[in-house]
Each structure stands twice: as C-alpha cells, then as structure tokens.
Amino acid sequence: HAAHFHGERVRTCILISSGGMALTRNEPQGLINWRKAETEEERRAANRHNLSVMMFGEPENIDDFAVYLQSENTVRARFRNRLLSHRFDNLVPALPHVKAALKGIWGEYDVYAKNHTGERRDYLRSIQPNADVRIVPKAGHWLMYEAAETFNAMLADMLGDGAR
C-alpha cells in the first residue's frame, strides 16, 4: 500500500513471505495453545512447538532467542490472527498500481505458501512480467531469521545499486 501511495518515489517493492494476494494459502496444523500452559516452561515448549509448525522450515534452527521472541510477540499481540485470516486479499487492490519493480522472497518451507510459491511468482508476473521472485531453500515463514545470511545476500542483490 505504501508503494502504491508513494508512486514514482518508490523504485523497488519486495514482498517477503507475503500473503494478501488472494492465492492458495495453507493453514498451520497442530498448534498448541500457549495460553493454557500452567508453567513458564510449558509456555516456552508450546511456543517452540508452534515455531516449528508456523515459522521455521527446519525445527533444529529454532534457538532460545527465537523462542523468546515468539513468547514476547504472543503475549503482546493486540489481536488474534485467526480473526484476520479472512483478509487474505488486502494487497489485491494495490499491487496492480505499484509503479516500483515488484519482487518477492518466500521460504521453500513457508507453511502458508508451501507447494504454492509458483502461484505467487505467476501472480506477481501477471502484474509485472519481469518480477523477480526467489525462494530461500529449506527456510520457513521466518526466513529472514532462519536463513539470515542467505536472505540478506538475496535481498541486497534484489535491491541492487541505487534502489530505495
């Protein structure tokens, strides 16, 4: 929406693990309700499990800091994502009007896009035939955390010289 609003001022718009395009979306299965945990240890275990289901492609990449972040994020959230899950088309009105170069990055194992990353590529290319869409191998929805080195190199390459 910002790229659409700012028009020519934006040169590059990179969607990262993005939804909002009214495309096929998988729903995570087997989440544990961390609110029902009776101890802090149980809450951390539930959040670690949920990270393995929703955010990481490779569970062995989940470290204590990721669990801490997830724990903090969940208790501070002011809304429940499930209440917003029906809003999976919020980018559809804006993307066709974006003047910037459209690009996208998804993790190979992103639970929401798994087995449907080609659909995302095709959608962006239906708007801009040269849209650069890349997949980070063995990474999930939190690909920028899980595969930071690969992601950062890919992002820098996509931005190139002079992009803003």
Side-chain angles (χ1 to χ4, degrees):
H1 290 280
H4 174 219
F5 178 78
H6 290 289
E8 301 290 337
R9 294 174 57 200
V10 178
R11 293 183 188 162
T12 306
C13 176
I14 302 177
L15 304 174
I16 301 167
S17 298
S18 181
M21 295 173 281
L23 302 173
T24 306
R25 181 178 189 271
N26 305 314
E27 291 296 329
Q29 303 295 315
L31 295 173
I32 296 174
N33 187 342
W34 59 269
R35 289 180 180 88
K36 294 182 178 179
E38 294 182 16
T39 67
E40 185 61 26
E41 185 177 324
E42 288 176 358
R43 186 169 78 90
R44 277 194 306 275
N47 279 312
R48 181 177 290 277
H49 170 80
N50 291 345
L51 283 170
S52 74
V53 172
M54 309 188 286
M55 301 299 181
F56 280 73
E58 301 283 346
E60 62 271 12
N61 292 333
I62 301 170
D63 58 19
D64 290 339
F65 188 62
V67 175
Y68 167 78
L69 290 173
Q70 180 70 1
S71 297
E72 290 296 307
N73 289 341
T74 55
V75 297
R76 293 173 190 238
R78 292 190 263 175
F79 60 89
R80 296 210 179 171
N81 285 342
R82 290 183 185 175
L83 299 176
L84 298 177
S85 64
H86 68 283
R87 294 288 310 164
F88 67 99
D89 63 349
N90 60 335
L91 295 181
V92 172
L95 285 175
H97 304 287
V98 169
K99 303 281 189 244
L102 283 177
K103 301 179 183 195
I105 306 174
W106 281 268
E108 176 184 12
Y109 300 149
D110 185 323
V111 68
Y112 301 101
K114 190 173 181 180
N115 300 319
H116 304 291
T117 53
E119 186 179 4
R120 280 132 181 86
R121 178 200 62 233
D122 294 346
Y123 177 73
L124 291 181
R125 287 184 180 166
S126 75
I127 298 168
Q128 291 184 8
N130 295 324
D132 184 1
V133 177
R134 301 185 194 182
I135 307 302
V136 176
K138 298 183 180 179
H141 193 64
W142 270 11
L143 61 109
M144 65 293 293
Y145 184 98
E146 183 175 14
E149 191 172 308
T150 301
F151 171 79
N152 289 337
M154 191 177 284
L155 185 63
D157 183 58
M158 291 174 99
L159 286 169
D161 292 333
R164 52 183 158 143

